[in-house]
C-alpha cells in the first residue's frame, strides 16, 4: 500500500511567540512533498506534485489564516506548559 503522512511541530528557544517556528510536513511514501513553515509564512513544495499543492495552499486565504493561527494556538500554549514543567524539575 501507499502511506500518506503528515508531521506537525514547534521549534522554540523561549516562550516568546517571535522565537517559535510552527511547521507542517507532508510526505508520501517517505518522500517529502511540501511543507508549511511559520518562519517563511508559506507552503513550499519539494516535488512537482508538492509545488502544485503548495501553490494551491498558498492561494487559499482561509487556510493560510488558519495555519498562521496554529502557531499561537498549538505552540504557544504547549510551550508555556513545557517551560513550567521543566523549570519546576530543575
Amino acid at each position: 500500500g501507499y502511506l500518506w503522512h503528515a508531521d506537525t511541530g514547534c521549534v522554540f528557544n523561549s516562550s516568546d511567540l517571535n522565537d517559535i517556528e510552527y511547521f507542517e510536513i507532508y510526505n508520501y511514501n517517505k518522500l517529502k512533498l511540501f511543507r508549511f513553515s511559520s518562519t517563511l509564512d508559506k507552503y513550499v513544495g519539494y516535488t512537482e506534485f508538492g509545488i502544485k499543492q503548495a501553490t494551491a495552499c498558498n492561494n487559499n486565504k482561509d487556510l493560510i489564516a488558519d495555519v498562521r493561527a496554529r502557531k499561537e494556538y498549538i505552540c504557544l500554549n504547549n510551550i508555556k506548559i513545557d517551560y513550567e514543567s521543566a523549570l519546576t524539575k530543575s
Side-chain angles (χ1 to χ4, degrees):
Y2 298 100
L3 178 63
W4 171 259
H5 180 75
D7 291 310
T8 62
C10 307
V11 179
F12 60 96
N13 293 320
S14 75
S15 59
D16 181 355
L17 192 59
N18 293 326
D19 293 334
I20 298 170
E21 179 189 13
Y22 172 74
F23 65 87
E24 297 179 351
I25 302 171
Y26 296 90
N27 305 290
Y28 184 72
N29 281 350
K30 299 182 183 180
L31 178 65
K32 185 190 305 185
L33 300 176
F34 65 104
R35 70 175 288 173
F36 175 83
S37 168
S38 65
T39 303
L40 299 174
D41 198 34
K42 67 179 183 177
Y43 286 89
V44 176
Y46 296 98
T47 64
E48 184 177 343
F49 176 77
I51 291 169
K52 291 177 183 177
Q53 294 301 306
T55 301
C57 291
N58 288 327
N59 289 331
N60 183 333
K61 302 302 179 200
D62 291 334
L63 176 62
I64 292 297
D66 181 57
V67 78
R68 285 177 179 155
R70 292 178 200 164
K71 177 180 173 179
E72 184 172 354
Y73 179 74
I74 295 172
C75 298
L76 189 60
N77 289 327
N78 286 303
I79 288 168
K80 286 180 179 179
I81 294 167
D82 292 344
Y83 261 97
E84 289 173 12
S85 176
L87 290 176
T88 60
K89 294 180 180 179
S90 59

